[in-house]
Amino acid sequence: AQTVTQSQPEMSVQEAETVTLSCTYDTSENNYYLFWYKQPPSRQMILVIRQEAYKQQNATENRFSVNFQKAAKSFSLKISDSQLGDTAMYFCASMSGGTSYGKLTFGQGTILTVHP
Amino acid sequence: NAGVTQTPKFRVLKTGQSMTLLCAQDMNHEYMYWYRQDPGMGLRLIHYSVGEGTTAKGEVPDGYNVSRLKKQNFLLGLESAAPSQTSVYFCASSRTGLARETQYFGPGTRLLVL
């Protein structure tokens, strides 16, 4: 079984600054994927970034990047040049890379507020 | 291309009443999922389907039933609603069940059981 833990219920950042959201996970598998999802006030879940565990290079998507520390089972999300539209709840999630039928395991979420 | 849609957006039920939540996707995806979101607990998988006519239990299936009679639709039923089922329900779909495939989520249905 996989578990995902987000220990920061809420965070805030000033517009244009950088913020890092933390996530730790546990799995007994070698083949797995990690994700960050964004849920804005509209509630629509949007995939932000995906990391394959066997890839050592950290994934990046424009202003979003991850710090994947496999040995420490840590998967943090860095948002650079924060924008007001980044205000949302962010969920860390994991999925087995094998026969998982697409089952995602989510963390508790972190509410991020970007202040002008 | 509407993606994933959910009906209704909001519903209030009394304890013991029944209802069906409808999820529809127009992306010809094989896999569909129902999650519930509760404060402090993230999203948890209720049931899922790997294709038309198939369903399987997820992490928290008790009190819910599902059906996938048509590929594009995935229905979630509550036969006798309980206050513990007050939650926000999300449907999602993906082309396959592989982790490299993106899951697309609907806008959610907020359910209040009194």
Side-chain angles (χ1 to χ4, degrees):
Chain A
Q2 300 185 343
T3 61
V4 177
T5 303
Q6 294 176 250
S7 58
Q8 304 158 315
E10 295 187 41
M11 292 195 71
S12 64
V13 64
Q14 293 296 126
E15 198 174 6
E17 293 186 346
T18 296
V19 64
T20 299
L21 308 183
S22 301
C23 172
T24 58
Y25 64 93
D26 194 18
T27 179
S28 58
E29 303 182 35
N30 292 320
N31 182 15
Y32 58 92
Y33 286 65
L34 298 167
F35 307 82
W36 279 98
Y37 277 87
K38 171 185 178 181
Q39 185 181 44
S42 66
R43 289 204 311 241
Q44 187 83 43
M45 294 281 286
I46 303 164
L47 177 64
V48 174
I49 202 163
R50 173 179 19 228
Q51 174 79 43
E52 300 170 64
Y54 66 86
K55 287 190 175 180
Q56 292 187 343
Q57 187 174 7
N58 289 325
T60 62
E61 287 287 344
N62 300 313
R63 298 182 295 107
F64 298 87
S65 61
V66 297
N67 183 5
F68 176 42
Q69 299 290 326
K70 194 171 184 178
K73 294 185 177 177
S74 169
F75 184 62
S76 60
L77 175 70
K78 185 173 83 171
I79 306 174
S80 304
D81 186 26
S82 297
Q83 301 176 359
L84 296 178
D86 295 334
T87 291
M89 178 169 279
Y90 288 81
F91 289 97
C92 181
S94 68
M95 184 189 299
S96 169
T99 308
S100 67
Y101 305 107
K103 290 183 285 184
L104 284 162
T105 298
F106 285 89
Q108 302 90 330
T110 296
I111 299 172
L112 175 67
T113 303
V114 180
H115 297 285
Chain B
N1 191 339
V4 180
T5 58
Q6 292 183 233
T7 308
K9 289 184 171 54
F10 174 66
R11 184 77 182 267
V12 179
L13 285 181
K14 293 182 180 179
T15 297
Q17 287 185 320
S18 64
M19 77 163 295
T20 300
L21 282 67
L22 171 64
C23 175
Q25 52 93 4
D26 61 2
M27 297 173 281
N28 201 34
H29 285 171
E30 290 293 334
Y31 284 65
M32 296 187 74
Y33 312 86
W34 276 108
Y35 294 90
R36 60 176 288 173
Q37 181 180 12
D38 301 295
M41 302 187 74
L43 279 75
R44 292 178 292 167
L45 183 65
I46 304 171
H47 286 281
Y48 64 99
S49 168
V50 303
E52 181 179 318
T54 74
T55 64
K57 293 180 180 179
E59 183 184 355
V60 288
D62 294 342
Y64 305 94
N65 56 76
V66 288
S67 63
R68 184 101 181 267
L69 299 179
K70 293 183 179 180
K71 186 177 184 178
Q72 64 268 33
N73 295 337
F74 195 28
L75 279 62
L76 178 71
L78 287 73
E79 289 188 349
S80 179
S84 61
Q85 294 177 305
T86 292
S87 188
V88 181
Y89 292 86
F90 287 93
C91 177
S93 73
S94 62
R95 192 174 66 88
T96 73
L98 297 175
R100 62 175 179 265
E101 296 282 351
T102 298
Q103 275 191 29
Y104 295 89
F105 284 78
T109 293
R110 184 165 166 251
L111 177 65
L112 177 61
V113 183
L114 301 175

